[in-house]
């Protein structure tokens, strides 16, 4: 919200307060300040000039030579190419050795700007420059329409030679405030003046709305009627009529107010409606009454598919949930967003209808978003506007029309207000306010603060009954009033104390396991990544997830930025594949990465229930030295760090993400008392080599990629990180290596299980160290080699002790798995 200090002084006298103090005090009273800009401070030797004579340039068709009166004895000659100059025009003249506003480029304010000196243009001397509004520091978007192309031609006569900035009052400060969503009342000059009045404890004057109603013989109701058919979307509609309208340029004081507030002056009627919108925060629209058929204003929803051309000359297709302002035959404005081209005020318009209405913010927001059309009006309606402003704003427009001689205001108004809005009265406690803020204010001081904010008070003793103005839609609870006392009293005046309490900070068990997993995986050479939770639904298509799979149970976003961020992820694998593919496309030869993040699935009970949110762990890798077993080693080591025992890897061939012959589900044997559905093992994840078709979908044709996804919330219940120390063994171990001929489809896990079950108490470990297929092994078979370590903690094992157990293991392998011992 741009707040010109000169404009603010219309409502509260702050002339004795310098800008720096104003900014500091407003910040301490709760107003967020973005910037403070001083206009035309660096302008020097720029004066008002009157063009006395214009001659063609002798050597250039597009240049003219002007003789200007700048208050000196002799006229000043200036060459210009501006197309809009004429004899008798008053213009800004930058004389020889002048400075006009421009980028500072690291210079001080005194050194900044652009220097202008005399020179020659096509052989003719020019002793300065005629300036446009942009060259004097104004952005193109605020330059008046009348002066948008060419030199700035002044509307009024000034004494030649006057300092241009002083003559037009250009040197002033503009403060840019960041208005928070809970304070839409501050999106108005009156709102900021109210804040300043409370901060500086000075009287505050509302704008003049006392009307003369020069056209007393005619009443507004004789020209127009108003009907609201959708009172939920339109709380109030006020209409006034002005006759004998003269559409022309606004007076300079009005144009200047708009320019410094960031709006372009257009003509007097449009400028006045924009001025009042900035002043009150209430959007205003004006219709040419000759284009309002039947003299009727009807507020109702549009028809589905209805076509409508807005003021920007674009045809828009409306839906039946969009609110439309209609006359007796057609739509004439999109409520709260933009007027229609068919009712636009033209230069020959003589009678207008002033609309000051209140539209539902949600309705305006939905319409604006669907049409891709956001305006100053819609931005204000979206945040919420007090319907009680409508009448005052309409009267203010009419008063400015009277003051500028732009027309004659008809008597009365048409005001349709089905359900008048009233303020919510509550009780606040003096001792509660003091307790929360840590101060000792008396009741009288608090009452003064409230009344300075136009909050009505009553009651006695510890209770203050407060009634806010309806414009303060943020004052609902006692805490809101405590905040009001704090900010007006001064945040810098509140005592500084440390929070009191005996709570001890710490990590949850789940968080500590996630951190432990991160440390372990980073220690194994993996890099942690983080990806967005908002993803494209096409991700599961790219990894070949079945159509009826739970992984497609998306939580859909109501207001997504785009289709690529329209749902919340159910698994991490598509995100991991995108990261691996991005690295591969940048010629990264080897990548080992992991992510621990949230996943979300829609609740099976319906949209009214919260989605299921869980943590998942995804590991991904590719590179010359990576294979299925290197991934398995990482997973095994991680589960070991987490203290998870009796882990099984079960072959899987139906899951589309992975290669059917190189995929395994990871399962854990439940502890006694745990309930597991399906079978005796509890599945915690899946791992394997990515299917070639999936790799191709990500542009990694022919690359062997290995991934794993583990349901982290599931492994939490099996984790046991408590460290139990045991003494070092006193007696030596002995080992036996065995090579077994087994069927090609025999799982190593099944062999290890048989060995473990028959190894007895002296079998310390079983490790696979070789898998061989070659000439010495018949077709359909493979050789798997294990190292078995035996140890007894109570004695030294003899060959006979080991042989008995070892032979038992071999016999069990042969009987149960038809595993034949192969010569090493």
């Amino acid at each position: 919200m741009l707040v010109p200090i000169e404009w603010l002084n219309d409502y509260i006298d702050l002339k004795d307060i310098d800008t720096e103090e104003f900014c500091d005090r407003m910040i301490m009273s709760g107003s967020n300040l973005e910037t403070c800009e001083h206009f035309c401070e660096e302008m020097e030797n720029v004066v008002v000039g009157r063009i006395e004579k214009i001659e063609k340039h002798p050597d250039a068709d597009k240049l003219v030579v002007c003789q200007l009166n700048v208050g000196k004895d002799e006229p000043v000659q200036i060459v210009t190419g501006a197309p809009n100059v004429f004899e008798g025009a008053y213009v800004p003249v930058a004389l020889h050795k002048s400075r006009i506003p421009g980028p500072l480029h690291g210079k001080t304010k005194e050194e900044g700007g652009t220097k202008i000196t005399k020179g020659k243009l096509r052989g003719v001397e020019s002793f300065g420059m005629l300036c446009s509004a942009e060259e004097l520091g104004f952005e193109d978007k605020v330059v008046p329409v009348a002066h948008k192309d060419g030199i700035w031609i002044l509307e009024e006569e000034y004494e030649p030679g006057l300092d241009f900035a002083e003559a037009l009052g250009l040197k002033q400060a503009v403060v840019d405030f960041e208005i928070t969503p809970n304070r839409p009342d501050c999106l108005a000059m009156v709102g900021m003046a109210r804040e300043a009045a409370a901060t500086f404890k000075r009287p505050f004057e509302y704008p003049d709305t006392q009307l003369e109603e020069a056209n007393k013989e005619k009443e507004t109701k004789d020209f127009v009627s108003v009907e609201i058919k959708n009172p939920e979307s339109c709380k109030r509609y006020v209409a006034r009529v002005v006759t004998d309208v003269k559409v022309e340029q606004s007076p300079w004081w009005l144009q200047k107010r708009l320019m410094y507030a960031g709006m372009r002056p257009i003509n007097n009627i449009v400028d006045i409606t924009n001025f009042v919108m900035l002043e009150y925060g209430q959007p205003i629209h004006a219709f040419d009454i000759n284009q309002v058929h039947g003299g009727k204003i009807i507020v109702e929803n549009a028809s589905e598919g209805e076509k409508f051309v807005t003021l920007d000359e674009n045809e828009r297709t409306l839906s039946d949930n969009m609110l439309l302002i209609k006359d007796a035959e057609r739509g004439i404005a999109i409520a709260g967003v933009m007027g229609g081209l068919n009712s636009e005020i033209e230069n020959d318009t003589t009678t207008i209808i002033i609309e000051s209405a209140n539209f539902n913010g949600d309705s305006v927001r939905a319409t604006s978003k669907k049409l891709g059309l956001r305006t100053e009006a819609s931005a204000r309606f979206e945040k919420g506007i007090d319907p009680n402003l409508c009448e005052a704003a309409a009267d203010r427009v009419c008063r400015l029309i009277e003051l500028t001689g732009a027309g004659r205001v008809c008597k009365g108004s048409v005001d349709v207000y089905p359900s008048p809005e009233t303020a919510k009265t509550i009780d606040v406690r003096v001792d509660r306010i003091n307790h929360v803020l840590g101060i000792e204010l008396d009741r009288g001081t608090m009452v003064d603060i409230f009344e300075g904010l136009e909050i009505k008070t009553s009651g006695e003793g510890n209770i203050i009954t407060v009634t806010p103005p309806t414009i303060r839609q943020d004052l609902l609870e006692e805490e809101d009033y405590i905040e009001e006392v704090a900010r007006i009293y001064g945040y810098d005046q509140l005592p500084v104390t440390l929070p009191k309490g005996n709570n001890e900070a710490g990590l949850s068990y789940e968080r500590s396991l996630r951190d432990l997993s991160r440390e372990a995986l980073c220690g194994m050479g993996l890099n942690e990544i983080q990806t967005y939770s908002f993803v494209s639904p096409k991700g599961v298509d790219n990894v070949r997830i079945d159509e009826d799979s739970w992984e497609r149970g998306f939580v859909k976003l109501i207001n997504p930025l785009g289709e690529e961020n329209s749902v919340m992820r159910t698994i991490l694998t598509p995100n991991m594949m995108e990261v691996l593919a991005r690295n591969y496309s940048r010629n990264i030869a080897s990548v080992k990465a992991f992510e621990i993040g949230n996943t979300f699935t829609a609740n099976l009970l319906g949209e009214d229930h919260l989605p299921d949110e869980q943590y998942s762990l995804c590991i991904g890798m590719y590179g010359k030295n990576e294979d299925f077993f290197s991934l398995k080693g990482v997973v095994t080591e991680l589960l070991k760090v987490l203290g998870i025992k009796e882990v099984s890897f079960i072959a899987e061939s139906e899951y589309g993400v992975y290669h059917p012959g190189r995929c395994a589900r990871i399962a854990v044997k439940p502890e006694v008392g745990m309930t597991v559905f399906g079978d005796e093992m509890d599945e915690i994840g899946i791992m394997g080599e990515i299917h070639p078709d999936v790799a191709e979908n990500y542009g990694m044709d022919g690359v062997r990629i290995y991934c794993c996804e583990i349901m982290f919330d599931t492994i939490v219940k099996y984790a046991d990180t408590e460290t139990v120390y045991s003494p070092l063994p006193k007696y030596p171990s002995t080992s036996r290596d065995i090579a077994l001929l087994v069927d090609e489809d025999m799982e190593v896990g099944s062999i290890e299980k048989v060995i473990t079950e028959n190894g007895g108490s002296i079998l310390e470990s079983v490790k696979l160290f070789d898998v061989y297929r070659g000439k010495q092994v018949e077709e359909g078979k493979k050789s798997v080699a294990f190292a078995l370590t035996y140890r007894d903690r109570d004695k030294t094992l003899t060959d006979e002790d080991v042989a008995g157990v070892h032979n038992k293991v071999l016999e069990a392998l042969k009987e149960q798995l038809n595993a034949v011992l192969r010569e090493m």
Side-chain angles (χ1 to χ4, degrees):
M1 174 69 187
L2 295 175
V3 178
I5 300 299
E6 182 182 272
W7 190 353
L8 199 66
N9 276 296
D10 290 350
Y11 318 106
I12 173 176
D13 187 1
L14 297 172
K15 296 182 180 67
D16 60 327
I17 305 293
D18 66 50
T19 305
E20 185 176 352
E21 181 184 353
F22 171 79
C23 293
D24 291 342
R25 293 278 296 277
M26 292 297 286
I27 290 172
M28 296 317 301
S29 66
S31 297
N32 297 330
L33 186 144
E34 289 278 351
T35 60
C36 178
E37 185 172 357
H38 295 266
F39 281 82
C40 299
E41 286 289 311
E42 61 270 29
M43 187 185 295
E44 292 180 7
N45 206 19
V46 179
V47 300
V48 176
R50 184 181 188 275
I51 301 177
E52 302 292 347
K53 186 178 180 181
I54 299 178
E55 297 177 334
K56 288 186 177 181
H57 192 289
D59 296 320
D61 294 336
K62 295 184 179 181
L63 297 178
V64 294
V65 182
C66 301
Q67 303 295 330
L68 292 105
N69 177 3
V70 294
K72 298 182 178 182
D73 295 335
E74 298 291 332
V76 172
Q77 177 174 291
I78 294 179
V79 180
T80 181
N84 63 328
V85 294
F86 57 91
E87 292 181 357
Y90 287 84
V91 295
V93 182
L95 299 173
H96 174 54
K97 293 185 178 180
S98 63
R99 182 182 287 113
I100 60 177
L104 294 178
H105 297 300
K107 302 176 182 178
T108 64
K109 186 177 293 184
E110 291 72 22
E111 298 172 334
T114 302
K115 291 183 179 180
I116 303 298
T117 57
K118 66 181 181 179
K120 287 186 177 182
L121 291 176
R122 294 287 185 93
V124 176
E125 284 190 308
S126 181
F127 294 90
M129 183 177 78
L130 304 186
C131 301
S132 67
E134 285 186 78
E135 289 165 335
L136 294 178
F138 293 92
E139 295 183 23
D140 175 68
K141 67 178 183 179
V142 305
V143 175
V145 169
H147 314 308
K148 190 174 185 301
D149 300 313
I151 297 303
W152 189 346
I153 306 294
L154 303 185
E155 304 292 332
E156 304 171 21
E157 294 185 3
Y158 294 87
E159 181 182 343
L162 286 177
D163 182 273
F164 186 81
E166 291 182 4
L168 274 71
L170 298 180
K171 291 186 178 181
Q172 58 174 288
V174 177
V175 181
D176 187 3
F177 288 100
E178 178 191 3
I179 308 302
T180 53
N182 67 318
R183 292 300 305 274
D185 60 296
C186 288
L187 284 171
M189 291 300 302
V190 169
M192 292 309 302
R194 188 185 296 109
E195 289 293 300
T199 300
F200 292 93
K201 297 178 174 57
R202 298 194 175 188
F204 161 67
E205 291 185 12
Y206 276 95
D208 177 16
T209 58
Q210 190 65 40
L211 297 173
E212 297 175 2
E213 295 182 335
N215 196 349
K216 297 183 184 299
E217 65 275 11
K218 294 183 179 180
E219 295 190 34
T220 296
K221 65 181 181 180
D222 298 331
F223 290 89
V224 65
S225 64
V226 176
E227 180 183 4
I228 299 176
K229 291 188 176 182
N230 186 349
E232 291 184 359
S233 296
C234 180
K235 296 180 182 179
R236 188 179 188 182
Y237 196 105
V238 175
R240 295 205 66 132
V241 171
V242 180
T243 62
D244 303 313
V245 171
K246 293 180 289 184
V247 180
E248 57 190 9
Q249 289 300 305
S250 300
W252 169 241
W253 69 265
L254 179 55
Q255 292 189 46
K256 182 170 64 171
R257 293 279 193 274
L258 293 175
M259 291 170 68
Y260 281 109
M263 298 196 77
R264 184 197 305 278
I266 298 174
N267 61 51
N268 54 351
I269 301 301
V270 175
D271 292 351
I272 287 171
T273 59
N274 285 336
F275 180 92
V276 173
M277 179 182 70
L278 294 173
E279 188 174 46
Y280 276 89
Q282 168 65 48
I284 303 290
H285 190 67
F287 300 103
D288 184 340
I289 201 168
N290 292 327
Q291 304 300 326
V292 180
H293 298 170
K296 292 184 178 181
I297 296 288
I298 302 170
V299 186
E300 64 177 346
N301 285 23
S303 302
E304 185 66 35
E306 183 174 347
K307 305 293 184 181
F308 184 76
V309 180
T310 46
L311 283 170
D312 57 3
E313 301 183 4
N314 288 320
E315 183 179 76
R316 304 180 187 277
T317 303
L318 310 181
S319 58
D320 58 7
N321 59 357
M322 297 180 181
L323 196 65
L324 197 63
I325 310 300
K326 300 181 179 180
D327 59 19
E329 301 175 5
R330 58 189 181 158
I332 55 176
I334 301 174
V337 181
M338 185 177 282
L341 190 64
N342 56 12
S343 59
E344 181 183 18
I345 291 177
E346 305 285 356
N347 289 333
D348 59 353
T349 297
T350 57
T351 303
I352 62 174
I353 299 172
I354 302 297
E355 170 198 275
S356 179
N358 185 275
F359 303 111
N360 178 273
D362 292 338
S363 173
V364 172
R365 183 185 299 109
T367 299
S368 176
K369 183 179 185 305
K370 193 167 184 179
L371 294 177
L373 180 62
R374 187 173 175 83
T375 61
E376 284 281 349
S378 68
R380 282 169 164 78
F381 280 121
E382 287 173 14
K383 293 177 175 63
I385 298 176
D386 177 16
N388 292 318
L389 284 175
C390 293
E391 184 178 18
D395 289 348
R396 177 60 170 165
V397 170
C398 293
R399 181 55 179 159
L400 289 173
I401 288 175
E402 290 180 344
L403 292 174
T404 57
R408 300 173 69 219
V409 179
C410 291
K411 183 180 179 181
S413 65
V414 176
D415 186 355
V416 181
Y417 197 1
S419 302
E421 194 161 303
T422 58
K424 178 184 177 182
T425 297
I426 69 167
D427 292 337
V428 298
R429 296 162 290 175
V430 173
D431 58 356
R432 172 65 176 166
I433 295 174
N434 283 326
H435 174 73
V436 172
L437 300 181
I439 56 179
E440 292 294 335
L441 284 184
D442 58 70
R443 173 192 170 90
T445 303
M446 294 182 187
V447 168
D448 290 342
I449 289 174
F450 290 142
E451 292 182 348
L453 292 165
E454 300 186 342
I455 299 170
K456 297 178 181 178
T457 62
S458 61
E460 58 184 17
N462 188 50
I463 301 298
I464 305 176
T465 301
V466 290
T467 305
T470 51
I471 198 169
R472 290 297 304 274
Q473 299 177 18
D474 60 311
L475 298 180
L476 302 173
E477 308 293 341
E478 185 177 29
E479 287 73 13
D480 299 324
Y481 292 90
I482 295 175
E483 181 183 358
E484 295 302 291
V485 173
R487 67 187 189 85
I488 300 303
Y489 176 73
Y491 289 126
D492 55 334
Q493 301 298 318
L494 298 178
V496 178
T497 58
L498 292 174
K500 298 177 182 179
N502 57 1
N503 294 330
E504 183 179 349
L507 297 177
S508 66
Y509 179 61
E510 292 79 4
R511 174 63 184 272
S512 64
L513 289 179
R514 292 197 295 271
D515 289 348
L516 179 61
S517 300
R518 289 186 175 97
E519 292 176 6
L521 291 169
C522 289
M524 287 184 273
L526 281 75
N527 295 299
E528 184 175 9
I529 63 170
Q530 285 186 327
T531 59
Y532 289 118
S533 296
F534 299 161
V535 297
S536 168
K538 295 180 180 178
V540 293
D541 294 330
N542 291 335
V543 296
R544 301 176 74 245
I545 295 294
D546 293 338
E547 290 294 332
D548 58 349
S549 176
W550 64 266
E551 287 97 329
R552 293 182 180 270
F554 295 117
V555 177
K556 298 179 181 179
L557 302 186
I558 296 175
N559 186 24
L561 295 175
E563 196 272 342
E564 68 276 7
N565 303 107
S566 60
V567 299
M568 301 187 78
R569 62 189 181 187
T570 56
I571 55 175
L572 302 181
T573 302
N575 296 43
M576 177 61 72
M577 287 300 302
E578 289 179 5
V579 172
L580 297 180
R582 190 176 302 116
N583 280 271
Y584 180 74
S585 68
R586 287 162 173 74
N587 299 319
I588 307 300
S590 177
V591 173
K592 296 170 69 176
F594 74 93
E595 178 177 11
I596 300 176
N598 298 83
T599 57
F600 310 84
T601 52
N603 197 304
L604 297 177
L605 298 177
E607 294 182 356
D608 295 336
H609 295 77
L610 291 174
D612 296 321
E613 179 179 354
Q614 295 188 3
Y615 273 96
S616 289
L617 163 64
C618 186
I619 300 172
M621 58 180 67
Y622 71 84
K624 181 178 179 181
N625 298 319
E626 309 303 338
D627 58 19
F628 179 89
F629 294 105
S630 58
L631 173 62
K632 182 183 177 185
V634 170
V635 173
T636 302
E637 180 61 24
L638 172 64
L639 297 178
K640 180 181 178 183
V641 169
L642 295 175
I644 298 175
K645 306 176 180 65
E646 299 194 49
V647 178
S648 297
F649 295 86
I650 305 167
E652 169 63 53
S653 59
E654 301 297 326
Y655 194 57
V657 179
Y658 298 103
H659 191 296
R662 299 162 190 165
C663 175
R665 294 193 177 273
I666 309 167
V668 179
K669 184 176 181 180
E671 297 177 6
V672 177
M674 284 189 175
T675 301
V676 178
F677 299 96
D679 54 40
E680 63 178 9
M681 301 297 287
D682 192 2
E683 183 180 330
I684 62 172
I686 190 167
M687 60 169 286
E689 181 182 327
I690 292 294
H691 196 285
D693 291 346
V694 174
E696 184 178 349
N697 290 339
Y698 288 91
M700 300 181 71
D701 309 39
V703 181
R704 290 199 167 188
I705 310 161
Y706 302 92
C707 281
C708 168
E709 184 145 354
I710 295 175
M711 296 174 284
F712 202 91
D713 286 354
T714 302
I715 67 175
V716 167
K717 63 183 180 182
Y718 294 109
D720 181 9
T721 57
E722 182 178 352
T723 302
V724 178
Y725 292 94
S726 58
L728 293 173
K730 296 180 180 179
Y731 302 100
S733 64
T734 183
S735 63
R736 299 287 189 274
D737 292 343
I738 58 174
L740 302 171
L741 281 175
V742 295
D743 294 335
E744 179 64 44
D745 59 357
M746 177 64 65
E747 297 174 3
V748 170
S750 300
I751 302 173
E752 290 180 342
K753 182 179 179 181
V754 172
I755 296 174
T756 303
E757 290 176 349
N758 291 275
S761 61
I762 66 171
L763 180 62
E764 186 174 73
S765 67
V766 181
K767 291 184 180 179
L768 174 73
F769 67 85
D770 184 50
V771 178
Y772 175 74
R773 300 173 182 86
K775 296 180 179 179
Q776 293 83 4
V777 177
E778 63 183 277
E779 188 175 351
K781 298 283 186 177
K782 63 183 176 182
S783 171
V784 290
F786 295 90
L788 282 62
T789 302
Y790 297 97
R791 188 197 304 270
D792 192 321
R793 291 189 172 272
D794 298 324
K795 65 177 183 178
T796 300
L797 290 172
T798 63
D799 287 342
E800 291 77 10
D801 295 332
V802 174
V805 175
H806 192 68
N807 290 333
K808 180 182 177 182
V809 168
L810 295 176
E811 290 173 2
L813 288 169
K814 184 174 181 180
E815 291 177 4
Q816 298 179 33
L817 305 178
N818 195 29
V820 179
L821 190 63
R822 175 172 170 262
E823 294 295 332
M824 294 293 290

